[in-house]
């Protein structure tokens, strides 16, 4: 079998080999040309400032580092000490129930109309917290927060 018969029987492989040889010859024959830089590009640049200047002062950083992961910034103030409980969960189905963590490690479920561990009455449950009445004042406690938000009338009556 001569060379022509072999090329005809393996035409795909022969075409690929011829293309590879021609492409290699063309790549070597024509040199690579580098395009000139654009006119608007400036050659002057500098490194960014040191990263240490971007870090906040230790005093400011310690406030964030030492803050509690859940709840407000004032968890250790009056809200938790007055009531002795925190709202730690809300169950929406089949019936709305608030999960309350009591000091001492007990967790209790409280439904609308029932009393909370400090004697307040649960008036309603929202997606973000609960609404309860204590001493004739309506208050709201958000999920994981220790403090309660009192209505304007209750806050002015206590002063």
């Amino acid at each position: 079998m001569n060379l022509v018969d072999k090329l005809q029987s393996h035409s795909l492989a022969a075409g690929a080999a011829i293309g590879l040889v021609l492409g290699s010859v063309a790549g070597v024959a024509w040199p690579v040309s580098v395009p000139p830089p654009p006119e608007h590009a400036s050659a002057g640049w500098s490194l960014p400032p040191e990263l240490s200047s971007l870090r906040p002062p230790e005093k400011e950083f310690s406030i964030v580092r030492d803050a509690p992961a859940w709840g407000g910034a004032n968890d250790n103030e009056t809200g938790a000490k007055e009531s002795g409980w925190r709202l730690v969960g809300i169950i929406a189905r089949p019936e709305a129930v608030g999960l309350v963590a009591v000091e001492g490690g007990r967790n209790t479920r409280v439904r609308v109309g029932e009393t909370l561990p400090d004697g307040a009455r649960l008036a309603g449950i929202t997606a973000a917290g609960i609404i309860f009445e204590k001493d004739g004042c309506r208050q709201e406690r958000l999920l994981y927060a220790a403090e309660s938000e009192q209505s304007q009338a209750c806050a002015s009556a206590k002063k």
Side-chain angles (χ1 to χ4, degrees):
M1 191 187 271
N2 63 12
L3 181 62
V4 174
D5 290 335
K6 285 185 181 182
L7 289 176
Q8 285 179 346
S9 64
H10 301 291
S11 61
L12 182 63
I18 291 171
L20 180 66
V21 170
L22 289 177
S24 298
V25 170
V28 170
W30 285 299
V32 177
S33 62
V34 178
E39 293 178 16
H40 65 277
S42 63
W45 62 276
S46 62
L47 291 173
E50 291 185 29
L51 294 178
S52 62
S53 65
L54 298 177
R55 184 182 170 113
E58 182 62 29
K59 181 180 177 184
E60 293 177 12
F61 182 71
S62 66
I63 294 170
V64 175
R65 181 187 60 221
D66 297 336
W70 297 101
N74 300 325
D75 276 353
N76 295 330
E77 292 184 6
T78 60
K81 292 182 181 177
E82 283 181 9
S83 62
W85 60 271
R86 296 185 307 140
L87 178 65
V88 293
I90 295 174
I91 299 175
R93 292 187 185 122
E95 131 183 55
V97 176
L99 298 175
V100 176
V102 184
E103 287 180 2
R106 290 183 313 128
N107 291 339
T108 60
R109 295 178 180 210
V110 183
R111 291 174 178 75
V112 176
E114 294 181 353
T115 59
L116 293 164
D118 64 348
R121 188 184 68 79
L122 184 61
I125 298 177
T126 65
I130 61 172
I131 300 168
F132 61 97
E133 293 178 0
K134 182 177 180 181
D135 300 329
C137 291
R138 187 169 273 244
Q139 302 176 25
E140 180 179 9
R141 184 162 300 178
L142 300 177
L143 196 58
Y144 300 109
E147 290 188 18
S148 301
E149 292 186 17
Q150 296 180 351
S151 65
Q152 297 269 341
C154 291
S156 63
K158 285 190 173 187
K159 290 182 181 178

